[in-house]
Amino acid sequence: MVMIIQTKAARLGAAFGSKRLCPRHLLRMLRPSSVHFLHRSSIHTKRKLHGAITPEKLVVPQTFIHDYFSANTSIDRGWVKNGVMAALSSIAEQPSTRSHSVHKPILVEDRVTEGNSSLSEQQAGAEVLDIPATLSTTEGLPHHRRKRLKAISTGSEHAIPLDASSQLATAATNLPSSASIRRIVATYLSLSKPRLSFLIVLTSTAAYSLYPIPDILTTTASLASATTLSASTLTLAYLTTGTFLSSASANTLNMLFEPKYDALMTRTRNRPLVRKLVTPTAASLFAFTTGTAGLSLLYLGTNATVAALSAFNIFLYAGIYTPLKRASVLNTWVGAIVGAIPPLMGWAAAAGQSATAEHHSWQDLLFTEEALGGWLLAGLLFAWQFPHFNALSHSIKDEYRNAGYRMLAWTNPAMNGRVALRYSLLLYPICAGLCWAGVVNNGFLALSTVCNIWISREAYRFWAKGGAGGSARGLFWASIWSLPLLMVGGLICKKGVWDGVFDRSISHDEEEYEEEQRRDRSADVGMSNFSDDAITVAFPSQAVSRAS
């Protein structure tokens, strides 16, 4: 660098000495040379490297890495392989002259961005952090490598976000002592797993809304129909509140039974019972209170069948699914049954409103031809949970193994992919069955086919790649978005909704047409009477003859 500056100074001195200096020549001399540019840039094209670097005077850029260029197809050209790359390889094999302090750890960012660090030094630094050298230095673009190395160094490359309970527990801990009420509310709300409880409420209310009630949609609605509509709104409020409280009770019992295992997993180790934000006695009292209140609201506001289904779901989730997670992989199927019951609760709640005094038993609400739609919605939620959970569990399979939870993601990864693919394909006939049963119209068949193609395609990639290459993440997000799209699509394409709108518009047009015809007929009669009176006045003899 000093020689370059001296050369430029000599040129300037010669130019000033001869008094032949022009502005263009001055700018050209002050422009930085290509070798100087290599010290400032970390990424260069092959043309600049070929034109500016020679094997005799080779200047290595700060973050020049051999394998970045090997990803390009044009690197196979002979002049690149035998010229620049050979020179770089020979320099990379030389021992590094840099020295680090013994007491200062080598950071990933330092290895990537500091100047003149060779490939061998980066490999040595990777060994310090137990990172494979191929992963830390040779894969992807430079900014992708830096991001991945930073994630590996912090241990967050494969970590997934904390669940809602852990986030609320952390927020409650960070609240000031003056906000004691807010701390208590956040702590007990974290016991309910609010995100999971909210999803359960949505599935039950969606099934409730999909139940066909023709009386509300007809144009000849009477006072009784208006009363039914008002009762439907009140029943929906009872259903949502009771379902959320029942779900909160089941989730609290689940946390009570496995706090020491939750402490072994990253996504659950911040839960309130693990952090001792609430005592087991207080959590048990909360579970009993919410369970009792939820079942009472469902019994009083909907019917006994819905309350019985909710009580069975609490027992199934807390009493069977929770201990089964450490005993058998069948826990996934039991958990899928738990997720399939809420849609059946919503359907039974709607069916109980239109049931008669003679036909209101649990057999009439669950095992009749009208209950087919509820079972199909339950089957939809049952099948959807396998691609969703199998993709999620694949990302944290090591944590499940360390905690002792027997999941297919680590006990049998091949079967984990097959099960996800199998149940994603089962979504097609279930959605077609909803159209055949008359719950939705044919528009839902087209919409659901698009969603199912998306999730089944990602499930196939997940099975074929064994969850690698981002296939697990792709399937997870496909399942996250497909369920609300199917639920909302079902509500939009509900059988009879658009027919009622069209019937109203057609009947309104018919009424206007009949009114217009009635006015025309009355006008014709008036004109006829007027003409007869006029003839009688003008020609009395003709009027008498016509009368005779």
Side-chain angles (χ1 to χ4, degrees):
M1 181 63 67
V2 175
M3 295 180 61
I4 295 174
I5 296 176
Q6 291 177 355
T7 304
K8 290 184 178 293
R11 291 179 181 177
L12 288 173
F16 279 111
S18 59
K19 297 181 180 180
R20 292 184 292 103
L21 183 67
C22 66
R24 181 178 299 178
H25 185 66
L26 178 61
L27 291 175
R28 183 177 300 174
M29 287 190 301
L30 293 177
R31 183 182 305 168
S33 64
S34 58
V35 178
H36 187 201
F37 173 78
L38 289 176
H39 286 280
R40 299 172 56 190
S41 176
S42 60
I43 302 175
H44 314 286
T45 59
K46 296 177 297 182
R47 182 176 299 176
K48 291 180 180 178
L49 288 172
H50 183 63
I53 301 177
T54 59
E56 293 80 8
K57 298 180 179 181
L58 180 65
V59 180
V60 182
Q62 294 179 2
T63 60
F64 184 88
I65 297 176
H66 176 282
D67 286 24
Y68 166 70
F69 292 93
S70 63
N72 301 327
T73 55
S74 59
I75 208 67
D76 296 333
R77 299 178 183 177
W79 69 269
V80 179
K81 277 188 175 181
N82 302 325
V84 179
M85 292 304 171
L88 291 175
S89 300
S90 62
I91 288 182
E93 293 173 359
Q94 297 177 1
S96 174
T97 58
R98 286 177 55 90
S99 61
H100 294 279
S101 174
V102 178
H103 302 287
K104 180 182 179 181
I106 302 175
L107 299 179
V108 178
E109 292 85 350
D110 297 336
R111 297 203 312 272
V112 177
T113 57
E114 288 184 359
N116 297 332
S117 62
S118 63
L119 185 61
S120 60
E121 183 181 0
Q122 294 178 1
Q123 292 172 346
E127 294 175 0
V128 173
L129 291 177
D130 296 330
I131 303 171
T134 55
L135 286 177
S136 59
T137 58
T138 60
E139 293 185 3
L141 297 175
H143 63 284
H144 291 166
R145 284 195 307 273
R146 288 192 293 268
K147 184 176 180 180
R148 184 168 60 253
L149 288 171
K150 184 176 181 180
I152 296 176
S153 65
T154 57
S156 61
E157 184 188 24
H158 300 292
I160 62 174
L162 300 177
D163 62 351
S165 298
S166 300
Q167 293 176 359
L168 279 173
T170 304
T173 306
N174 296 331
L175 287 174
S177 58
S178 59
S180 58
I181 298 179
R182 293 171 58 190
R183 287 169 62 97
I184 294 174
V185 171
T187 300
Y188 282 96
L189 185 60
S190 64
L191 288 173
S192 66
K193 297 183 183 178
R195 194 176 298 165
L196 177 60
S197 299
F198 184 68
L199 177 62
I200 291 174
V201 170
L202 283 181
T203 55
S204 61
T205 54
Y208 176 87
S209 303
L210 283 173
Y211 186 85
I213 305 179
D215 293 339
I216 298 179
L217 302 176
T218 56
T219 57
T220 61
S222 59
L223 182 60
S225 299
T227 305
T228 304
L229 180 60
S230 177
S232 300
T233 306
L234 186 59
T235 304
L236 181 62
Y238 277 107
L239 175 66
T240 53
T241 308
T243 303
F244 183 85
L245 292 175
S246 301
S247 177
S249 176
N251 292 325
T252 304
L253 292 174
N254 172 264
M255 292 187 191
L256 275 169
F257 294 156
E258 50 186 17
K260 63 179 180 180
Y261 306 120
D262 287 341
L264 301 176
M265 299 183 64
T266 303
R267 63 186 298 265
T268 58
R269 63 188 178 191
N270 288 329
R271 284 179 173 175
L273 285 169
V274 179
R275 302 185 66 173
K276 300 186 184 304
L277 297 178
V278 62
T279 63
T281 304
S284 302
L285 183 60
F286 177 76
F288 175 78
T289 304
T290 53
T292 304
L295 295 178
S296 300
L297 289 175
L298 291 175
Y299 179 80
L300 297 174
T302 57
N303 53 68
T305 303
V306 178
L309 286 173
S310 182
F312 175 71
N313 219 20
I314 294 175
F315 167 74
L316 192 63
Y317 184 72
I320 297 181
Y321 169 73
T322 299
L324 193 62
K325 288 195 296 183
R326 301 181 55 82
S328 173
V329 295
L330 293 177
N331 67 84
T332 305
W333 278 262
V334 176
I337 296 175
V338 173
I341 290 179
L344 202 58
M345 292 169 51
W347 191 271
Q353 290 186 281
S354 56
T356 61
E358 296 80 11
H359 302 282
H360 65 281
S361 63
W362 62 273
Q363 295 94 337
D364 297 325
L365 298 181
L366 297 179
F367 297 102
T368 57
E369 185 178 352
E370 290 77 12
L372 180 60
W375 287 103
L376 287 172
L377 290 173
L380 179 66
L381 265 295
F382 178 83
W384 169 85
Q385 288 178 87
F386 288 95
H388 172 73
F389 179 76
N390 289 15
L392 173 65
S393 60
H394 176 84
S395 304
I396 54 176
K397 57 184 178 181
D398 294 332
E399 295 195 2
Y400 277 126
R401 179 169 55 243
N402 295 335
Y405 293 136
R406 299 192 61 81
M407 302 297 175
L408 284 175
W410 68 270
T411 59
N412 194 340
M415 185 178 178
N416 189 56
R418 290 197 305 270
V419 169
L421 177 60
R422 185 183 307 147
Y423 282 96
S424 67
L425 297 177
L426 187 60
L427 295 173
Y428 289 95
I430 293 176
C431 293
L434 287 172
C435 298
W436 175 79
V439 179
V440 292
N441 55 34
N442 293 330
F444 177 77
L445 186 61
L447 177 63
S448 63
T449 301
V450 174
C451 296
N452 294 335
I453 287 175
W454 180 22
I455 191 172
S456 59
R457 174 181 174 273
E458 295 297 333
Y460 175 79
R461 291 182 63 247
F462 178 74
W463 167 74
K465 297 185 177 181
S471 57
R473 184 174 61 252
L475 177 58
F476 175 76
W477 286 109
S479 64
I480 285 291
W481 284 104
S482 64
L483 182 62
L485 287 176
L486 289 174
M487 294 290 103
V488 174
L491 294 175
I492 294 175
C493 301
K494 180 180 177 180
K495 188 74 172 180
V497 170
W498 298 107
D499 296 341
V501 173
F502 294 147
D503 291 343
R504 291 181 182 182
S505 60
I506 293 173
S507 62
H508 182 68
D509 294 341
E510 291 179 353
E511 290 177 0
E512 290 184 350
Y513 178 76
E514 292 177 358
E515 183 66 23
E516 185 178 355
Q517 292 293 328
R518 193 179 301 108
R519 289 196 299 266
D520 293 341
R521 286 194 297 269
S522 61
D524 293 340
V525 171
M527 289 298 296
S528 176
N529 294 335
F530 174 77
S531 60
D532 291 341
D533 295 340
I535 292 173
T536 303
V537 172
F539 307 100
S541 58
Q542 294 184 6
V544 172
S545 62
R546 288 179 58 186
S548 61

